[in-house]
Amino acid sequence: MTQKPQAKFLKDYQPPSHQVDHIDLNFDLSPKKTVVTAKYQLTANDHQTSVELDGVDLKLISLKVNGQAHNEYEVTDTKLIIANLPSKFELEVGTEIAPELNTSLEGLYLSDGAYCTQCEAEGFRKITYFFDRPDVLATYAVTVIGDSSFPYLLSNGNKVDEGTLENGKHFVKWEDPFKKPSYLFALVAGEFDLLVDSFKTKSGRDVKLQIFVDKGNLSKAPHAMESLKKSMKWDEERFDLEYDLDIYMIVAVDFFNMGAMENKGLNVFNSACVLANQETATDRDYHVIESIVGHEYFHNWTGNRVTCRDWFQLSLKEGLTVFRDQEFSSDLGSRALNRIDAVNAMRTHQFAEDAGPMAHPIRPEKVIEMNNFYTVTVYNKGAEVIRMMHTLLGESGFQQGMKLYFERHDGQAVTCDDFVNSMADATGTDLSQFKLWYSQFGTPKLKVRTQYNENQCQYQVEIEQVHAEQDPIQSPLHIPVAIELLDGEGGKIDIEHPEVRQGRVIELKEEIQTFTFSDISEEPTLVLLEDFSAPCILEYDYSTTQLCHIAMFATSDYARWEALQQLYTQQIREYVADQKHEFVLSQELSAVLLSLFDNKPKDLAILAEYITIPNFDTLSAGYAQVPVEALCKAIDELESQIAQLLQGVLKAFYNETQESGSLSATDVAVRALKNRSLYYLSLTGEDVMASLNAQASSANMTNKLGALRSAVNAEHRLADELMDNFDKQWNHDLLVMDKWFALQATKKADACIDNILSLYEHPCFDKSNPNRVRALVGTFARTNPKQFHREDGAGYKLLADLICELNQLNPQNASRIITPLLSFKRFDEKRQGLMKAQLERLSSIENLSDDLFEKIDKALN
Ligand code: 7MK
Ligand code: ZN
């Protein structure tokens, strides 16, 4: 390393030196040489006579101060420093950029021939010299000039002018009346098919809705449009928030590092998060698209109207907006299924992040590369922290807090503390201790002990909070713990206790607290942390009998699912601890599982979740050192035992239940359970040839993929043939092929790695496209422990080789796929050595990006 990248600290925050109220931008587009002219008034906040503007990979071609050439300036790799300035002046900066050479997919770049931008977090500095920080808010007027081969020239806000120019060029001028930070700027230019609709807001304004997709994809846009209208309506109904511009545009592009981006009035989406029809998209895809369209729309208030003071506050907008999109999905669909989804994301990814070298608070305090902090911690744990406030304050208290937040801060760039203060002040609640959630990291543990006193009819629950070793905050957190007490018949015991809110929530504020419940006539079964009321790990010595009781009788579907997850985990742990014994499925658990089919829940999708066991990552969190082989074997054993146990009922259900291929909740649920059934049946001796073939030739992607997944997982002899047929049928559609690449990556046999290497040459594969890379190599490293953690190190090498190539091409993408290598300390000595060797190799490559440097440095040191 020539120079170690420098970290920025939250504690060093300084307000901006100048104020900019308005900026005029002019773009003359050309692939190799786009000329950007920026013109804006600066007013010094504190009589400064110099100014430092952000700019990266820019060629400065002109600089004027108050219309005059100005020579007192200095250009560095990352800054333009101008000296000897009056306290108020107009700056005009001309720069040149080359979108065609920009493979980082940040700033202005070309995606399959269309110009587009991605500015969050710090991409605007790759477009022009400016204060590229979220607390400088300005109105934007943008003129885009392009060839006539780019019929659509788009930017934020309202179109105010357009016309033709000489040499076949034309221009469009846009004005965004709302002040925004630079990260919300967007520009798109290209040829698209356009889906148009409209929405009448509750105050009666008509909003024009437009979705721009690649030519030929129009039939895949309606679902996103419906999702957008549902989002707009839901935000009016649940949060009393109305859209504020006259137009809302969404553009789908094929080359995009993330899911989507909430640029004011002009969202840019990864095409995978927009396009769907029944032949190409799974039920899961439909759900994800709806929630991402919602997420970006909800940002209009939580992110755009009120934005972040600095990037350390990212969770202010992301945690809150994830909470909002989760609530949107739960109000429109199944609350229990959505909760299961959210909890799985926490346990699979966030707990691991919180236990690894990249662990950070939801409000980080030290950052080298901001792009590394768009994490499950900031997003998903951030949403859990918002949810805890919701649990403590209730829906109406929470909404009062939101209202005050907008009254106080509309049009401002604020902090997480400002948000919590609004919640506290609006409801008269003391949330000072609660704020520690923004500073702590490492998943807290709740150690619970219970005691029943028969003579006094008293039940005592003692809860101790234990903080992770690396957590800087060792003082007690304010934790809402939802509970339920069940009697011997499975009935719910009413809890009457002065400290219990809404009959179910106890509040922890001390390190150890004891709650005593009176008038309890028999020893109850305790349901704890119901609905995952806090992002904690629960340690309570449940017996199998108690868990089975909860699985049968708890009031909520979520609690039953959770009990089953604990039961599966117990079984796996017993086997891992003593592999000499045969794997035996406990009698009690077997009885519960069978009973689920005697008396099926109304929602069959829930039943599919009940019989799905925790994944490798979730299970490995329970071990200081991950027993790779034993865990893989235990998972296989448990699945095959469940398959044998349920063979009869699954077969009956599979053969007797039809669905019509519609997107109704009922049909979606039937497909979920039928696919789960086929998955298990493929693991038994059952002849599933006909079912696999039939489903694989279905015109419905959920069914088709379900068959392929079952065949690949079971290493069925049909698997290769089905995979080949899929390739032939779908190689014209890259988004569909991503599903195929992802399946290739899950193959269990040793040939998996050579196969992946050969797929790099597949005509559909392209290392410069993040979707392809994530589908094939991301899936491999995240979900194929058997092959990724192979003892010859070939899995680690495969990942590191690709990261080497991506380091220059697309640092953000390289940095995102490295995660599974970082937690090497969790593995045995041999694997540790192999993983570490790859990290060391990566650490010494030339021009290592800041993104990779930050992670590798943290992991190794
Ligand atoms: C989601 C930022 C954007 C990771 C997850 C998203 C990104 C990264 C979408 C990009 C988002 N602001 O809306 O949060
Ligand atoms: Zn977001």
Side-chain angles (χ1 to χ4, degrees), residues 152-160 172-178 194-199 201 205-212 225 228 232 243-251 263-267 297 300:
Y152 292 105
L153 306 172
L154 313 173
S155 191
N156 318 80
N158 303 308
K159 192 193 271 190
V160 293
V172 179
K173 185 173 181 188
W174 297 84
E175 280 179 7
D176 181 358
F178 292 95
L194 172 58
L195 181 66
V196 184
D197 208 325
S198 69
F199 180 83
T201 69
R205 282 185 311 105
D206 278 308
V207 180
K208 183 153 76 175
L209 311 178
Q210 300 186 320
I211 298 184
F212 297 85
M225 185 63 89
L228 176 59
M232 296 177 86
Y243 188 60
D244 51 11
L245 282 165
D246 299 330
I247 180 168
Y248 194 92
M249 296 175 277
I250 289 177
V251 187
N263 317 301
K264 185 81 187 188
L266 177 57
N267 289 180
Y297 176 74
N300 191 54

Side-chain angles (χ1 to χ4, degrees), residues 549-569:
H549 196 68
I550 297 173
M552 297 288 291
F553 300 114
T555 315
S556 81
D557 291 345
Y558 173 84
R560 294 161 180 236
W561 171 81
E562 173 65 28
L564 285 161
Q565 296 294 298
Q566 300 306 322
L567 284 160
Y568 297 136
T569 305

Side-chain angles (χ1 to χ4, degrees), residues 540-548 567 570 588:
Y540 177 53
D541 201 6
Y542 274 121
S543 67
T544 302
T545 309
Q546 287 173 318
L547 287 172
C548 287
L567 284 160
Q570 275 188 353
E588 282 176 285

Side-chain angles (χ1 to χ4, degrees), residues 142-184:
V142 182
T143 305
V144 188
I145 301 169
D147 270 16
S148 55
S149 54
F150 295 86
Y152 292 105
L153 306 172
L154 313 173
S155 191
N156 318 80
N158 303 308
K159 192 193 271 190
V160 293
D161 195 10
E162 64 189 314
T164 49
L165 302 163
E166 45 211 58
N167 0 335
K169 289 191 176 186
H170 66 138
F171 77 93
V172 179
K173 185 173 181 188
W174 297 84
E175 280 179 7
D176 181 358
F178 292 95
K179 286 191 154 202
K180 67 167 174 286
S182 55
Y183 83 87
L184 290 173

Side-chain angles (χ1 to χ4, degrees), residues 20 23 40 52-55 124 128-132 136 138 140 182:
V20 177
I23 174 167
Y40 45 100
E52 279 191 21
L53 301 168
D54 303 298
F124 192 74
T128 189
Y129 286 107
F130 194 58
F131 296 102
D132 193 11
V136 173
Y140 283 60
S182 55

